[in-house]
Amino acid sequence: MLKFGFRRGEITVRLITFAVIACLAVACAVGCANREGKSEAKLSAQASVSKDVERLIDQLSSKDAAERGRAAFNLAKLGFEAKPAVPDLIAMLDDDAKLTSFDIHQDRSISSTYQTTPAEQAMYALIQIGEPAVEELFSIYRTSEPAVKTRTTDALKHIISRRPLEKIQKDLKSSDPAVRTIAVLALGVGIDPRVALLQDSLRDTDPEVRRSAVESLRWIGGPNTDPWEISKILQDTYSDKDPKVREEVVRSIGYIAENGSQVSVEGWIFDALHDDDPNVRREAVYWLGWHKRFNAVMPLIRRLEDESPTVRSKAAWSLWQITGHNYGQDKAKWEKWWNQNN
């Protein structure tokens, strides 16, 4: 007689197999859903950045020179993500409209004599975008007018200097004299090999190691290296969560700027005036006074109400250094002087 069905052991094995398959199917479905969610979030973030870039690109063609300069400045902050703006930024390299840091930063307290141009801001943006700008920069380098060629050369040599040494050596043997020329110039502004090691130390888990790395970069940032590159590395490090590291960053930038490097303490250092740590604020106050930045007068007057007595004292000293007047920590007298003279 024929028997239908399965033995008990077979049934058990089959049930376990079905259960495993069902679990895998559920896990797969959940995983796919998560990946789809992450992909949608990523696409959403990319779309958001693209809208920001698109808006800033539109502003590059504004009739207002200050708006053009600010747009280039903000594109520089986006770095590589601003690569769609390369053609428009290159088109701005002959835009020599005179601007001040007030025009760029839109701070009512700023009335600086520091001069810049939309062209200069465009050049900095191209440097921050990096490799995606190289091909178009080279095409302009070969055909442009002298003033534009100078800015194009500056942008190219800074970008190329970041390449591995082996790649620069290859460029030195190129059949194109323009490529060889830029490679030679890039070696002149190239980062000291020690800097790469110190950059790794800036990511160390121990804050004292990171602080020490910043201090060492300060001393390296002399005549044998490109101080602009060193200052950029240091500025990027200002986001460190440890206040001692941030304090060292402000001190180091101030020192590099002091030594005739053309590095400016403009812009980002004003953020340090509002740092949570009083020692960081003190350093920012000190160096703005040491460099006699007139655009810092009103922000320094506000620091006369700082909760830290050391910051208040240093703010009074810096105001005296900048203006030649000494009203101590009397905020009312400083505000009166400011309103009468501005």
Side-chain angles (χ1 to χ4, degrees):
M1 182 174 66
L2 293 174
K3 293 183 179 180
F4 298 94
F6 304 102
R7 290 190 296 273
R8 183 178 297 175
E10 291 176 340
I11 293 174
T12 302
V13 170
R14 288 175 181 270
L15 286 174
I16 292 172
T17 302
F18 290 149
V20 170
I21 292 172
C23 289
L24 288 172
V26 171
C28 180
V30 171
C32 290
N34 286 339
R35 283 194 296 274
E36 288 176 2
K38 289 179 181 177
S39 297
E40 289 176 4
K42 185 175 181 181
L43 288 171
S44 177
Q46 290 174 341
S48 176
V49 170
S50 297
K51 287 180 181 178
D52 288 340
V53 172
E54 186 177 344
R55 173 178 56 81
L56 291 170
I57 289 173
D58 287 342
Q59 292 173 4
L60 292 177
S61 58
S62 170
K63 293 181 180 180
D64 182 356
E67 186 173 13
R68 298 195 300 274
R70 284 194 298 274
F73 175 80
N74 288 317
L75 283 165
K77 292 181 180 179
L78 295 175
F80 183 85
E81 293 180 13
K83 62 181 180 179
V86 166
D88 299 272
L89 289 167
I90 288 177
M92 281 180 62
L93 290 175
D94 62 351
D95 189 341
D96 288 319
K98 299 300 181 185
L99 302 174
T100 68
S101 56
F102 172 85
D103 296 316
I104 300 299
H105 299 290
Q106 290 186 300
D107 187 334
R108 293 285 180 189
S109 67
I110 293 177
S111 58
S112 174
T113 56
Y114 169 74
Q115 294 288 317
T116 185
T117 64
E120 187 176 64
Q121 296 301 320
M123 181 188 74
Y124 291 147
L126 289 163
I127 291 171
Q128 296 310 308
I129 292 169
E131 288 291 339
V134 168
E135 185 176 347
E136 291 188 58
L137 281 169
F138 264 120
S139 66
I140 298 299
Y141 172 82
R142 297 183 180 97
T143 61
S144 59
E145 296 296 321
V148 174
K149 187 170 184 177
T150 297
R151 294 185 182 113
T152 304
T153 301
D154 284 343
L156 279 169
K157 71 183 183 183
H158 280 94
I159 296 170
I160 301 301
S161 71
R162 298 170 183 163
R163 289 178 173 176
L165 188 58
E166 295 78 11
K167 181 66 171 71
I168 298 177
Q169 288 174 326
K170 184 178 179 181
D171 289 343
L172 290 171
K173 298 177 182 178
S174 170
S175 60
D176 186 341
V179 173
R180 298 198 302 273
T181 299
I182 295 299
V184 168
L185 292 172
L187 289 172
V189 298
I191 293 295
D192 188 305
R194 295 172 295 173
V195 173
L197 296 175
L198 288 169
Q199 280 185 280
D200 287 339
S201 295
L202 291 174
R203 295 185 287 272
D204 195 277
T205 56
D206 187 274
E208 180 57 24
V209 173
R210 299 197 302 274
R211 190 208 63 77
S212 298
V214 171
E215 181 180 351
S216 291
L217 283 167
R218 178 207 316 173
W219 301 120
I220 288 178
N224 296 324
T225 56
D226 181 1
W228 193 88
E229 291 286 352
I230 298 292
S231 68
K232 179 64 176 63
I233 293 170
L234 292 173
Q235 288 177 39
D236 290 343
T237 309
Y238 179 69
S239 60
D240 195 286
K241 62 184 180 181
D242 189 272
K244 290 185 183 295
V245 176
R246 299 197 302 275
E247 178 186 352
E248 195 66 51
V249 167
V250 178
R251 182 182 297 118
S252 296
I253 291 287
Y255 175 85
I256 293 172
E258 178 186 8
N259 284 274
S261 64
Q262 302 304 311
V263 171
S264 174
V265 294
E266 302 280 346
W268 73 274
I269 204 169
F270 286 96
D271 293 338
L273 292 174
H274 305 285
D275 196 279
D276 293 337
D277 188 84
N279 292 326
V280 179
R281 299 198 300 274
R282 182 203 65 222
E283 284 297 318
V285 165
Y286 170 77
W287 285 107
L288 287 168
W290 181 265
H291 289 287
K292 294 182 170 58
R293 307 314 303 178
F294 189 77
N295 58 326
V297 169
M298 199 60 208
L300 287 171
I301 290 174
R302 297 189 190 109
R303 286 300 103 198
L304 293 172
E305 292 183 326
D306 196 280
E307 62 185 22
S308 166
T310 305
V311 174
R312 296 197 300 270
S313 174
K314 196 62 69 177
W317 176 86
S318 290
L319 286 166
W320 168 58
Q321 290 292 307
I322 295 169
T323 68
H325 297 278
N326 189 358
Y327 300 116
Q329 297 182 32
D330 192 326
K331 184 171 181 284
K333 287 185 178 179
W334 278 113
E335 288 178 335
K336 181 180 179 180
W337 173 86
W338 175 260
N339 292 330
Q340 289 175 343
N341 290 275
N342 294 278

